[in-house]
Amino acid sequence: GQNIDQPTEMTATEGAIVQINCTYQTSGFNGLFWYQQHAGEAPTFLSYNVLDGLEEKGRFSSFLSRSKGYSYLLLKELQMKDSASYLCAVIGTGGFKTIFGAGTRLFVKA
Amino acid sequence: KAGVTQTPRYLIKTRGQQVTLSCSPISGHRSVSWYQQTPGQGLQFLFEYFSETQRNKGNFPGRFSGRQFSNSRSEMNVSTLELGDSALYLCASSLLGSNEQFFGPGTRLTVL
């Protein structure tokens, strides 16, 4: 079967660093996405990993290990506006079918 | 460049009715995917269309169907609505050869 696991909720403090983990088991692998979704809004693209290693983009970094079926999203210098759900999504084989995890709700407190 | 647009934004229906949702992709995007999002379930893939052809289909019953027109606009239809169909339905478009999807604001469907 195909499965993506993420923690349901996380809480962190403004200015801190938080790491959101994602593990996956899918039939084939063509890349992994992280999306941010604020309540009541559509998901927006954060990062894309297809090769092992770390991709850094400003305060956000994403890491991938294909052999371990594992990724994480690292958020630095947390801001209140980072309170949102973070969705891990894997592109399987057979075209562009994208499988999403249930999302991790991040609460940033002052 | 205009983003992905979806109509209507909100919809209330009763059990047994049918509904049609519309999605207009970003200009130049020919791939359109549909997702159902419910609390706790995350985004569930419904289907993907490219050049008027369905390329992939998720594990939803036959009551859920879709189509794509020659201008890449897409519609999805749900017949014989059930209470459990209440959800946010998201449409996403992408360029040929790109894995990055751009999401519309969604249609929130409530079935009473």
Side-chain angles (χ1 to χ4, degrees), chain A residues 27-41:
Chain A
S27 55
F29 179 84
N30 278 326
L32 185 144
F33 284 99
W34 284 96
Y35 285 87
Q36 180 191 61
Q37 185 177 26
H38 285 99
E41 298 181 13

Side-chain angles (χ1 to χ4, degrees), chain B residues 59-102:
Chain B
N59 298 322
F60 279 80
R63 301 185 296 108
F64 291 80
S65 63
R67 59 178 175 169
Q68 187 180 33
F69 302 94
S70 59
N71 62 358
S72 295
R73 189 177 70 85
S74 178
E75 288 182 349
M76 66 163 280
N77 185 77
V78 188
S79 62
T80 321
L81 284 166
E82 300 176 359
L83 295 179
D85 297 333
S86 294
L88 180 67
Y89 290 87
L90 290 162
C91 162
S93 73
S94 59
L95 277 169
L96 176 64
S98 171
N99 291 317
E100 182 179 353
Q101 294 184 317
F102 296 82

Side-chain angles (χ1 to χ4, degrees), chain B:
Chain B
K1 199 180 214 181
V4 178
T5 57
Q6 292 186 245
T7 56
R9 293 292 313 277
Y10 302 91
L11 204 51
I12 299 175
K13 292 283 188 179
T14 56
R15 279 181 298 175
Q17 287 187 307
Q18 68 94 26
V19 67
T20 299
L21 312 180
S22 180
C23 169
S24 292
I26 292 172
S27 178
H29 288 196
R30 291 166 61 190
S31 175
V32 173
S33 297
W34 287 91
Y35 297 87
Q36 180 195 66
Q37 187 175 35
T38 54
Q41 286 278 328
L43 273 75
Q44 304 289 314
F45 173 77
L46 280 156
F47 22 67
E48 183 210 358
Y49 287 88
F50 179 80
S51 291
E52 302 178 65
T53 301
Q54 187 181 89
R55 289 208 299 183
N56 282 297
K57 190 176 189 306
N59 298 322
F60 279 80
R63 301 185 296 108
F64 291 80
S65 63
R67 59 178 175 169
Q68 187 180 33
F69 302 94
S70 59
N71 62 358
S72 295
R73 189 177 70 85
S74 178
E75 288 182 349
M76 66 163 280
N77 185 77
V78 188
S79 62
T80 321
L81 284 166
E82 300 176 359
L83 295 179
D85 297 333
S86 294
L88 180 67
Y89 290 87
L90 290 162
C91 162
S93 73
S94 59
L95 277 169
L96 176 64
S98 171
N99 291 317
E100 182 179 353
Q101 294 184 317
F102 296 82
F103 284 85
T107 295
R108 183 162 295 282
L109 172 66
T110 302
V111 182
L112 303 175

Side-chain angles (χ1 to χ4, degrees), chain A residues 8-69:
Chain A
T8 304
E9 285 186 2
M10 298 183 71
T11 301
T13 305
E14 194 175 17
I17 299 173
V18 71
Q19 178 175 311
I20 303 174
N21 296 324
C22 170
T23 57
Y24 63 90
Q25 301 99 38
T26 57
S27 55
F29 179 84
N30 278 326
L32 185 144
F33 284 99
W34 284 96
Y35 285 87
Q36 180 191 61
Q37 185 177 26
H38 285 99
E41 298 181 13
T44 55
F45 169 82
L46 285 178
S47 68
Y48 172 63
N49 294 69
V50 65
L51 299 176
D52 290 351
L54 189 69
E55 294 280 341
E56 296 185 84
K57 190 187 279 189
R59 295 190 298 114
F60 294 73
S61 303
S62 57
F63 172 83
L64 174 67
S65 169
R66 288 172 296 172
S67 62
K68 295 181 180 177

